[in-house]
């Protein structure tokens, strides 16, 4: 379907790399529109300059010269040609627009969630990752939504951009044409962390994606507990309310939390040990720290014991 020559190897001077079939299609239309515009810009501006110089007022030519008021063939020409050009642009553009918005039925589906301030990618087997991993030459369908505010999902190398809003799903799809890593951005100003809201698309060679998935889906067994806990912190959504830098957010910061004395609503105080943290995760309203609202949802049924241990081990490292 695609000739090899049509695929640019890397980013050029003007454009990012053409990483997907859609990128090639979008670029062709872009260049058509650009060159048609350049042609008419040069034509019209040159004629303007020539006419200004040629018909300027000078000695012996004070009055404007008589000129024809109407020229039917000329007017038909300069109406018909632009109409045909814009029809070509419209038909071609609309065809590609429909193509970009119609995922093939056999597409591999990945759920995309935008949240302050990260992208999360959920695979069919339940694995959640912060980067989008895909196999090359395979149609990938993204079913996207947002947890909080409007975010803009943008992969320049794939010429793919769509806003996500809370409470509804949007679908886009792409097919990567070469392996490599490409940048994902957020293009809607979504708060203080907006400029940090980026991720990568990692396009794997044939077989590499399955290998990656087998390893990544097994990180609880392969990573040290504290490292696995940090990963869970980011993928379970803890990071939305708990910082690791010392500032309080919706919930208390995790920095220096372990072993500290936590004053609770109601005048009690508890030491933040393993059992305290475990209770906070499974039954968050039981011990609400002083100055915070009881808004944390329970993670009962969402995390298992090894995962709770991993999260606690991670909190221990945040001194
Ligand atoms: Cu999300 Cu900007």
């Amino acid at each position: 379907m695609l000739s090899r020559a049509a695929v640019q190897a890397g980013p050029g001077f003007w454009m990012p790399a053409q990483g997907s079939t859609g990128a090639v299609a979008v670029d062709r239309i872009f260049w058509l529109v650009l060159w048609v515009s350049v042609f008419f810009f040069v034509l019209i501006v040159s004629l303007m300059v020539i006419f200004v110089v040629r018909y300027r007022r000078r000695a012996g030519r004070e009055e404007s010269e008589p000129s024809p008021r109407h020229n039917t063939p000329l007017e038909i020409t300069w109406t018909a040609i632009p109409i045909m050009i814009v029809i070509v642009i419209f038909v071609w553009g609309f065809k590609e627009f429909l193509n970009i918005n119609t995922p093939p039925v056999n597409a591999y589906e990945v759920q995309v969630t935008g949240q302050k301030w990260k992208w999360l990618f959920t695979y069919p087997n339940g694995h959640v990752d912060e980067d989008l991993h895909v196999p090359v030459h395979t149609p990938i369908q993204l079913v996207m939504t947002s947890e909080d505010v409007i975010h803009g999902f943008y992969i320049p190398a794939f010429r793919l951009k769509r806003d996500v809003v809370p409470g509804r799903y949007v679908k886009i799809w792409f097919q990567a044409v070469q392996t490599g890593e490409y940048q994902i951005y957020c293009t809607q100003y979504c708060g203080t962390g907006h400029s940090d809201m980026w991720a990568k698309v990692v396009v794997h060679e044939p077989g590499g994606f399955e290998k990656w998935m087998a390893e990544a889906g097994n990180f609880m067994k392969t990573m040290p507990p504290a490292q696995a806990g940090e990963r869970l912190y980011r993928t379970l959504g803890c990071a939305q309310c708990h910082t690791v830098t010392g500032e309080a957010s919706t919930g208390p910061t995790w920095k220096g939390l372990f072993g500290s004395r936590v004053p609770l609503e109601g005048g009690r105080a508890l030491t933040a040990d393993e059992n305290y943290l475990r209770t906070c995760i499974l039954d968050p309203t039981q011990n609400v720290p002083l100055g915070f609202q009881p808004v944390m949802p329970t993670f009962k049924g969402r995390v298992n014991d090894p995962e709770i241990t991993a999260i606690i081990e991670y909190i221990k490292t945040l001194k």
Side-chain angles (χ1 to χ4, degrees), residues 114-119 146 148-153 164 185-191 193-198:
Q115 53 177 250
K116 294 192 241 171
W117 285 280
K118 66 167 59 270
W119 297 105
S146 166
D148 34 45
V149 297
I150 183 167
H151 299 280
F153 184 82
V164 295
Y185 294 97
C186 174
T187 52
Q188 293 289 352
Y189 181 64
C190 52
H194 160 69
S195 55
D196 294 327
M197 191 168 167
W198 53 2

Side-chain angles (χ1 to χ4, degrees), residues 227-248:
Q227 211 179 323
E230 185 187 4
R231 207 191 155 87
L232 291 167
Y233 165 74
R234 287 179 279 130
T235 55
L236 284 174
C238 315
Q240 279 179 283
C241 299
H242 300 280
T243 73
V244 291
T245 52
E247 299 115 50

Side-chain angles (χ1 to χ4, degrees), residues 108-115 118-134 140-145 147 153 169 184 209 212-213 231 234-237 302:
Y108 183 84
E109 192 174 296
V110 181
Q111 309 281 330
V112 181
T113 310
Q115 53 177 250
K118 66 167 59 270
W119 297 105
L120 288 180
F121 303 94
T122 310
Y123 295 85
N125 66 357
H127 175 67
V128 180
D129 208 274
E130 294 182 283
D131 290 315
L132 175 56
H133 291 257
V134 296
I140 309 292
Q141 170 172 224
L142 303 178
V143 181
M144 314 199 297
T145 191
E147 285 215 337
F153 184 82
Y169 295 99
I184 300 173
F209 174 72
W212 166 82
M213 180 58 92
R231 207 191 155 87
R234 287 179 279 130
T235 55
L236 284 174
R302 288 184 61 192

